[in-house]
């Protein structure tokens, strides 16, 4: 690792520990040349996740897209950022452990729905309003009434 202060390649790892519920590794480093200390974070990725869309098209899983979906659903909601990060990490781990690496897009949507339902009910309904294909307004109304009745 190159030192961000002096660009020396003579850096050593002094401490290494998991963070973000095991989804990343935090490393404390020391530069032998300028004697500076700095921290790096490495994201753990077990393997590439391929998302299979409804039309059969395949694309590489995009964690940032998942994070944006959470941000939109949770906008203006009082949810602890650590809880949100934990939920996202849990979804990613479930996707990484999927048997063959090809994950149907429906599974991603259902995992997000489940996580949002546990975090914040309004965020869950917001996400569902986009994710589920409601043919008519009355279908959405029936969904909301069912959710509010729980």
């Amino acid at each position: 690792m190159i030192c961000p202060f002096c660009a020396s390649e003579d850096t050593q790892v002094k401490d290494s520990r998991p963070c973000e519920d095991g989804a990343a590794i935090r490393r404390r480093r020391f530069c032998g040349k300028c004697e500076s200390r700095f921290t790096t974070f490495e994201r753990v990725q077990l393997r590439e996740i391929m998302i299979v869309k409804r039309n059969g098209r395949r694309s590489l899983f995009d964690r940032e897209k998942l994070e944006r979906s959470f941000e939109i659903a949770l906008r203006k909601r009082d949810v602890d950022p650590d809880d949100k990060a934990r939920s996202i990490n849990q979804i990613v781990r479930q996707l990484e452990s999927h048997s063959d690496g090809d994950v149907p897009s429906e599974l991603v949507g259902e995992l997000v729905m489940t996580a949002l339902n546990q975090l914040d009910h309004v965020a869950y309904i917001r996400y569902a309003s986009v994710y589920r294909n409601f043919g008519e307004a009355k279908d959405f109304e029936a969904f909301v009434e069912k959710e509010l009745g729980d």
Side-chain angles (χ1 to χ4, degrees):
M1 175 66 63
I2 296 174
C3 174
F5 303 105
C6 70
S8 171
E9 292 185 23
D10 182 28
T11 62
Q12 301 170 354
V13 174
K14 292 297 182 185
D15 180 41
S16 187
R17 65 181 70 164
C19 61
E20 297 179 24
D21 288 333
I25 299 171
R26 176 183 178 266
R27 297 193 193 282
R28 291 288 301 149
R29 296 180 181 267
F30 175 78
C31 176
K33 183 176 178 184
C34 70
E35 298 183 358
S36 297
R37 295 180 184 272
F38 59 99
T39 303
T40 59
F41 292 89
E42 300 172 19
R43 184 143 317 273
V44 176
Q45 184 174 1
L46 300 176
R47 61 180 164 177
E48 287 188 341
I49 303 168
M50 294 302 293
I51 303 297
V52 181
K53 308 283 184 172
R54 288 182 180 149
N55 64 6
R57 193 172 56 93
R58 297 167 40 122
S59 64
L60 197 57
F61 171 72
D62 184 0
R63 182 186 177 96
E64 290 177 4
K65 184 176 178 183
L66 178 64
E67 291 170 349
R68 279 191 310 273
S69 295
F70 265 75
E71 283 297 324
I72 292 168
L74 291 167
R75 187 172 289 149
K76 296 183 181 179
R77 301 301 298 163
D78 187 26
V79 174
D80 183 10
D82 290 338
D83 290 341
K84 181 185 79 167
R86 232 182 322 277
S87 294
I88 292 171
N89 290 337
Q90 183 179 21
I91 290 170
V92 172
R93 277 195 302 276
Q94 287 175 306
L95 296 176
E96 287 174 335
S97 67
H98 199 265
S99 59
D100 60 358
D102 285 352
V103 178
S105 60
E106 293 87 10
L107 176 61
V108 178
E110 293 302 322
L111 291 173
V112 171
M113 296 264 294
T114 301
L116 286 173
N117 196 15
Q118 293 170 355
L119 282 177
D120 184 84
H121 208 65
V122 171
Y124 165 70
I125 291 175
R126 282 181 184 167
Y127 186 84
S129 71
V130 175
Y131 174 71
R132 298 229 190 262
N133 292 325
F134 296 109
E136 296 182 24
K138 66 180 179 183
D139 297 336
F140 180 68
E141 181 183 4
F143 170 77
V144 171
E145 286 177 2
K146 177 183 160 258
E147 291 302 315
L148 293 177
D150 287 349

